[in-house]
Amino acid sequence: MTQQHDEDRELARVHYLPTHRATTTPTESDTEVVEGELISEEEYQRLFTQRGQAIERYKGYRRDLATAGRVVKTVATHEVTKSTGQALLRHGSYVLGGAGIVAKRVWEAKTNSRYERMQRLAEARGDWDQLADWEARAEQARERRHRRRMDWLEAPVKLVKAVVIGAFSLMGALVALGIVLAIANKDLGDVLGPITAVFTLVKWIAYAVTVAWLPFLLALPWAAGIALWAVGRQADAAPSWLRAAKTAEVNPQITADGIVTALRHLSIPKLNEAFKKEGWQPRFDLTPTREGQGAFRGYRAIFDLPMGVTPEMVADKRDVLAKNLNRNAVEVWASDYGKEKGGKAGYVNLYVADSGVMDKPTPTYPLLHEGTADVFAGVPVGITQRGDVVLFPLNGSNFVFGGQPGQGKSNGGRVVMLGAALDSLAELRVHVFANNGDFDAYAPRLARYHKGATAEHVELAAAHLEELKEEVGRREQRLADLGAKKLTRALAEQHPDLRPIVVYFSECHELFSKSDDAAELAVDVVKRGRKTGVILGFDTQSARANAIPSEVVENVGVNGCFAVKTWRSNDGFLGDGSFAAGIRATDLRFNVDRGTMVATGVSEELFEIVRTFFIEVNDDTGWDAATEVIERALAQLAPGTPVAGDRPTPQIENDRDLLADLDTVLDDERLPAGDVLGALRSLAPRWKPYQDYTVPRFVAAVKKLGVKVASTGNKHYVDPVTVREILARRATADLDE
């Protein structure tokens, strides 16, 4: 214990020696000093205690520093601190940006830099008229600036003259006023009274200015800073990395500068080259203009493109363009303005809807509770992105709806036919090539209503088209007799046999894929029927040639395409070249944009985005909102307009007796087989075998029955005698049995 205590004392003694003497091999003089500096036990205890206290204080300082570091780190990395710091930096940058904007404005106001910039842009665009105009403006600005400078040179002399003259005039007026007061008060001292009052007023004004001057000087920098901040904030003059920290607006305003910026980032090589190398800027035939009403609004702009860039290229980049404009792709539509009525070639017609417009519910069907419709003026179908009600033209037009299953085709057809039902003159007929009940509620108003995907229904529909073809011919002659070129409402009111007929074929791919004659008949009726009041409508989920004839699609007045996957389907419903022109239903979102279609022919626009009204149906209870509308339509129907039961369903022939028909068309003399076949077709125009027969096949069929056919040269003659002999034997055989 004593040995350890001695070692500690020795350690303490050496430890507290000066640093230059604490060596491992002390010199002789060092030894003497060491031996002379031995400390007492009490001193050792005091020094040891102080050392322990120093160590504890050091540890405490270190703990405090670590705690402070953690606090600083937590505060510095907290989201509130970050956002607050970014906000402070952003608002500070507004002041600097505002100062730059004000400086630029002052510079442009005092120089011709603005005019020179506009001249360069006009020259880059090749717009020589604009260039000459800006040159003239620049010359006028220089002339005005020169006159102002000359006025400033003369201003000091004029100012001195004005001050001297004003001072003497004021003194004279004050003296005259004092004389008047002195005479009135009979006191000579009042002569100087007005002058004394003015001096007193000046004294108090000087005192007030002296008192307010210091606060004014102190507030002036702050006021200037606030003014610059307001200018910078309005122009969003913060750096981009600080602007990104701002909360995005729900509907940021679309401006010409914003569109130009968006075009700069479309990654179209020729467009990029025009911007960067040629200094090109678009010419706006229409600067961004607010359109629409209520909650359905947006912006329209029309602008040109540089050499080598087409509107189709911009339409192909619609997703990128929408992103650059802070919109969803379905809210931005760019089309070829040159293909519109009165449009300019090479210009883009751009419509940018407000954010969220496509997600807003459509209004209630306007004719749900009251009102009538007119197929000659158009029936309400839906609204555009601008909130305008779309009137669907029916008379003089035909229509096609297409798109993927479940996207709103059937509802679109229901809306059109419900509007037609509210026209008291219109006769309605519907074929549904499925077993659904989409039009069951319409049945009381339909002169003909057939549904099902059976072969008999296909044959019935084809026969109906044949009947409509004949009706078109009859109406053409009727209108000619009346001296009219086309059917009008006045003519339909005067002549019940000319009332409009609206025929709708739902799921028409079943008809055209199973009937050889339906396509040709439909095309014929579509082409000729529009002037006679015979109106056809079709819907299908397939754009294949055997699903709906391309000639039908090309010749109808209105095409509506709901969401589709490919450009082929798009052009199959909207017509060839539609996709290239920017008319694209492929951009509609499957199931999200249900009930929305890209429609052509409903306005003077190249196309419209139409959101159809919804006629509500409850699949569980069978309730259909159309039921009450149909009841109202029946109540206001014009006398003589056919409804259910007025047009009995034609009976489809399932069989015919060729021998009996031959007996009917043949006289006593032999006739050429071709003439006999023609007579049979006239006798039974809807009996398909007669229509399909060729002369050789007909001759073979007749011979198979035992009828004698004589051949003379290239002609075959059917013998009526053998026809009747066979019929007689068959009749006798029936009696024997």
Side-chain angles (χ1 to χ4, degrees):
M1 181 69 177
T2 304
Q3 183 180 0
Q4 180 65 38
H5 185 67
D6 293 341
E7 290 177 355
D8 290 340
R9 290 184 60 195
E10 181 62 22
L11 178 61
R13 182 177 64 81
V14 175
H15 178 75
Y16 284 101
L17 286 175
T19 304
H20 70 279
R21 293 187 179 181
T23 60
T24 55
T25 55
T27 61
E28 184 178 349
S29 60
D30 292 334
T31 303
E32 293 175 357
V33 173
V34 169
E35 291 176 352
E37 291 185 0
L38 289 174
I39 58 177
S40 64
E41 180 69 24
E42 291 79 6
E43 183 67 15
Y44 167 75
Q45 290 292 342
R46 185 181 66 80
L47 291 175
F48 192 80
T49 301
Q50 288 180 350
R51 178 173 179 271
Q53 292 174 347
I55 293 173
E56 288 300 323
R57 282 196 303 272
Y58 168 74
K59 290 180 179 180
Y61 295 152
R62 188 169 63 180
R63 284 194 300 270
D64 292 343
L65 287 174
T67 302
R70 285 194 300 272
V71 171
V72 170
K73 181 180 179 182
T74 302
V75 172
T77 57
H78 197 275
E79 290 298 325
V80 174
T81 306
K82 289 182 179 180
S83 60
T84 303
Q86 287 181 337
L88 292 174
L89 289 174
R90 181 168 64 252
H91 288 283
S93 66
Y94 285 156
V95 177
L96 297 177
I101 292 171
V102 171
K104 182 179 179 180
R105 291 175 181 174
V106 172
W107 174 257
E108 289 188 345
K110 300 300 181 182
T111 66
N112 267 27
S113 62
R114 174 173 177 265
Y115 300 98
E116 291 172 357
R117 185 176 74 253
M118 299 306 295
Q119 290 174 47
R120 288 194 298 271
L121 291 176
E123 185 177 8
R125 292 196 303 262
D127 193 340
W128 310 119
D129 293 337
Q130 284 288 333
L131 178 60
D133 180 52
W134 283 110
E135 287 177 345
R137 293 187 188 186
E139 186 61 33
Q140 293 172 2
R142 280 192 288 268
E143 180 63 26
R144 289 194 296 268
R145 195 178 303 110
H146 175 71
R147 287 199 298 267
R148 286 197 298 270
R149 288 171 180 169
M150 297 304 297
D151 291 341
W152 276 108
L153 292 176
E154 299 174 0
V157 177
K158 293 180 180 179
L159 180 62
V160 171
K161 289 182 180 180
V163 170
V164 172
I165 294 172
F168 279 105
S169 299
L170 179 61
M171 291 295 293
L174 293 174
V175 170
L177 179 61
I179 293 173
V180 172
L181 290 174
I183 294 173
N185 297 328
K186 297 179 181 181
D187 186 354
L188 190 61
D190 288 344
V191 173
L192 298 178
I195 297 177
T196 304
V198 170
F199 285 162
T200 303
L201 176 63
V202 171
K203 175 183 176 181
W204 280 105
I205 291 174
Y207 176 75
V209 170
T210 302
V211 172
W213 184 250
L214 181 60
F216 173 76
L217 289 180
L218 293 175
L220 185 61
W222 295 98
I226 292 173
L228 294 176
W229 171 86
V231 172
R233 185 175 183 274
Q234 184 178 11
D236 197 11
S240 58
W241 62 277
L242 286 176
R243 287 201 302 269
K246 294 192 332 180
T247 302
E249 298 179 43
V250 174
N251 278 309
Q253 184 178 4
I254 301 299
T255 64
D257 290 340
I259 292 175
V260 173
T261 302
L263 292 174
R264 286 179 177 272
H265 297 84
L266 284 187
S267 299
I268 300 176
K270 284 289 184 180
L271 188 60
N272 293 344
E273 182 179 345
F275 274 122
K276 294 179 181 179
K277 295 184 179 180
E278 302 171 11
W280 174 84
Q281 290 290 321
R283 289 176 294 186
F284 281 84
D285 191 66
L286 175 68
T287 55
T289 303
R290 200 81 167 126
E291 288 189 359
Q293 54 186 334
F296 302 92
R297 306 194 70 190
Y299 299 85
R300 184 178 301 281
I302 299 173
F303 53 88
D304 72 338
L305 295 171
M307 297 288 287
V309 182
T310 64
E312 289 80 5
M313 294 180 182
V314 176
D316 287 339
K317 293 286 187 176
R318 196 167 67 92
D319 288 349
V320 181
L321 180 61
K323 163 63 174 63
N324 294 346
L325 294 173
N326 298 312
R327 294 293 194 273
N328 291 323
V330 76
E331 296 165 345
V332 176
W333 300 88
S335 62
D336 189 345
Y337 185 52
K339 294 186 178 180
E340 298 183 23
K341 182 179 179 180
K344 295 181 180 179
Y347 278 70
V348 174
N349 186 348
L350 176 67
Y351 185 79
V352 182
D354 284 353
S355 296
V357 162
M358 298 297 292
D359 299 324
K360 290 182 171 66
T362 56
T364 303
Y365 178 58
L367 302 178
L368 187 62
H369 302 294
E370 60 181 359
T372 61
D374 183 353
V375 297
F376 292 85
V379 298
V381 173
I383 60 170
T384 66
Q385 288 178 305
R386 304 179 297 279
D388 301 326
V389 174
V390 176
L391 291 178
F392 219 77
L394 287 180
N395 187 64
S397 180
N398 302 276
F399 60 96
V400 166
F401 288 150
Q404 292 179 264
Q407 299 311 295
K409 300 185 302 298
S410 297
N411 178 71
R414 279 166 49 84
V415 175
V416 173
M417 296 304 287
L418 196 59
L422 289 169
D423 187 329
S424 61
L425 299 179
E427 177 182 347
L428 276 58
R429 308 174 185 178
V430 171
H431 290 272
V432 180
F433 295 95
N435 285 316
N436 61 57
D438 289 342
F439 290 91
D440 286 353
Y442 294 62
R445 180 66 174 85
L446 303 178
R448 290 188 185 178
Y449 179 38
H450 312 287
K451 64 179 183 178
T454 63
E456 290 76 16
H457 186 192
V458 170
E459 187 175 351
L460 181 66
H464 192 182
L465 286 171
E466 178 70 35
E467 179 185 334
L468 291 172
K469 178 181 177 181
E470 294 175 2
E471 176 65 12
V472 168
R474 186 194 70 79
R475 290 182 174 223
E476 288 174 337
Q477 184 60 51
R478 186 85 165 85
L479 290 171
D481 295 340
L482 294 171
K485 294 182 178 179
K486 64 179 181 179
L487 181 66
T488 63
R489 188 167 192 85
L491 287 172
E493 290 174 344
Q494 295 173 16
H495 306 282
D497 65 319
L498 291 178
R499 290 181 179 178
I501 300 174
V502 185
V503 188
Y504 189 64
F505 297 87
S506 182
E507 307 294 348
C508 65
H509 49 273
E510 293 289 340
L511 169 64
F512 292 119
S513 63
K514 295 178 180 179
S515 173
D516 297 333
D517 302 326
E520 182 179 349
L521 291 169
V523 171
D524 196 11
V525 176
V526 164
K527 287 181 176 179
R528 295 171 50 203
R530 64 185 189 85
K531 292 185 178 182
T532 66
V534 177
I535 304 156
L536 301 188
F538 305 90
D539 79 51
T540 178
Q541 54 192 258
S542 174
R544 298 191 308 272
N546 65 339
I548 184 166
S550 59
E551 280 192 86
V552 169
V553 173
E554 297 293 341
N555 283 282
V556 297
V558 177
N559 300 75
C561 186
F562 295 81
V564 292
K565 289 184 178 180
T566 67
W567 69 266
R568 292 182 179 85
S569 296
N570 185 89
D571 286 9
F573 293 128
L574 296 173
D576 289 342
S578 298
F579 186 87
I583 311 173
R584 301 178 177 181
T586 53
D587 295 323
L588 295 175
R589 300 163 293 182
F590 181 75
N591 281 343
V592 176
D593 296 317
R594 184 185 288 119
T596 301
M597 64 177 171
V598 177
T600 61
V602 297
S603 72
E604 293 186 355
E605 298 285 344
L606 186 60
F607 67 95
E608 293 282 7
I609 309 303
V610 179
R611 303 179 65 202
T612 57
F613 296 118
F614 180 58
I615 308 300
E616 189 175 355
V617 176
N618 189 316
D619 294 329
D620 295 329
T621 63
W623 176 82
D624 193 331
T627 303
E628 296 180 2
V629 183
I630 293 298
E631 291 176 357
R632 194 172 81 247
L634 289 169
Q636 62 193 24
L637 203 63
T641 300
V643 292
D646 293 340
R647 301 282 190 191
T649 302
Q651 296 299 314
I652 300 299
E653 294 179 304
N654 295 319
D655 194 15
R656 291 193 70 88
D657 188 344
L658 178 55
L659 281 173
D661 288 344
L662 287 172
D663 182 39
T664 302
V665 301
L666 288 172
D667 292 328
D668 295 334
E669 297 181 358
R670 295 183 301 172
L671 290 177
D675 294 345
V676 176
L677 180 57
L680 290 173
R681 289 173 176 172
S682 299
L683 176 66
R686 295 186 178 88
W687 181 237
K688 196 170 186 299
Y690 291 169
Q691 306 300 322
D692 293 341
Y693 273 146
T694 61
V695 172
R697 289 176 57 196
F698 172 65
V699 170
V702 170
K703 286 182 177 180
K704 188 175 181 180
L705 293 174
V707 177
K708 184 177 179 181
V709 179
S711 298
T712 304
N714 294 327
K715 291 187 176 181
H716 300 274
Y717 291 87
V718 180
D719 182 14
V721 175
T722 56
V723 171
R724 294 182 177 107
E725 288 176 353
I726 297 171
L727 286 173
R729 287 197 300 269
R730 188 168 65 183
T732 303
D734 292 340
L735 290 175
D736 293 340
E737 293 177 1

